[in-house]
Amino acid sequence: MRATVTGCSVEHAMHLLGGRWRLLLVSYLIDGPKRFNELRRDLPGISQRMLTLDLRALESAGLIRRTVYPTTPVKVEYALTEDGMRLKKVVSVVQEFGLWLKQRGAV
């Protein structure tokens, strides 16, 4: 991870989770493992390339585990690691905030 400007812990978190898709990906994996195409269906606006890049970034951060099953065709599943499950609280707070925004008509 590249150096932060402020050294603030919020900035560290935003480097990893910032952007449009990463926290959303985590939110879809909280309920259990999913395959690549399941995630693409859950996030219809994401390109295949962006999904691949974000999954790799979350995997290299140790938040997602990629499991390849030796079947024909090959089956690959993505699941949150124990460290990734720590984001459950973050997802919950962001979800609550999003509902509040919708209720007041800000979205």
Side-chain angles (χ1 to χ4, degrees), residues 4-53:
T4 60
V5 175
T6 64
C8 174
S9 58
V10 173
E11 187 181 359
H12 280 287
M14 291 309 297
H15 272 296
L16 178 60
L17 298 175
R20 186 173 183 182
W21 304 109
R22 290 184 188 177
L23 194 58
L24 202 50
L25 281 168
V26 169
S27 76
Y28 282 109
L29 291 172
I30 284 174
D31 295 329
K34 291 202 175 204
R35 296 177 71 176
F36 186 87
N37 283 330
E38 288 178 284
L39 291 169
R40 280 207 61 197
R41 280 191 295 275
D42 289 340
L43 304 162
I46 194 169
S47 69
Q48 183 169 336
R49 177 174 164 30
M50 185 54 65
L51 179 56
T52 299
L53 290 173

Side-chain angles (χ1 to χ4, degrees), residues 53-104:
L53 290 173
D54 282 349
L55 286 170
R56 283 181 187 162
L58 292 168
E59 183 183 10
S60 70
L63 301 176
I64 286 181
R65 177 182 57 254
R66 180 178 184 265
T67 306
V68 180
Y69 296 96
T71 59
T72 305
V74 174
K75 178 181 174 184
V76 179
E77 279 188 340
Y78 296 90
L80 291 179
T81 62
E82 192 173 318
D83 287 344
M85 288 303 284
R86 294 177 62 118
L87 292 169
K88 196 172 188 175
K89 292 178 189 175
V90 175
V91 169
S92 177
V93 169
V94 171
Q95 188 175 46
E96 185 180 314
F97 182 67
L99 289 171
W100 175 78
L101 284 173
K102 282 174 101 174
Q103 286 175 347
R104 65 178 267 230

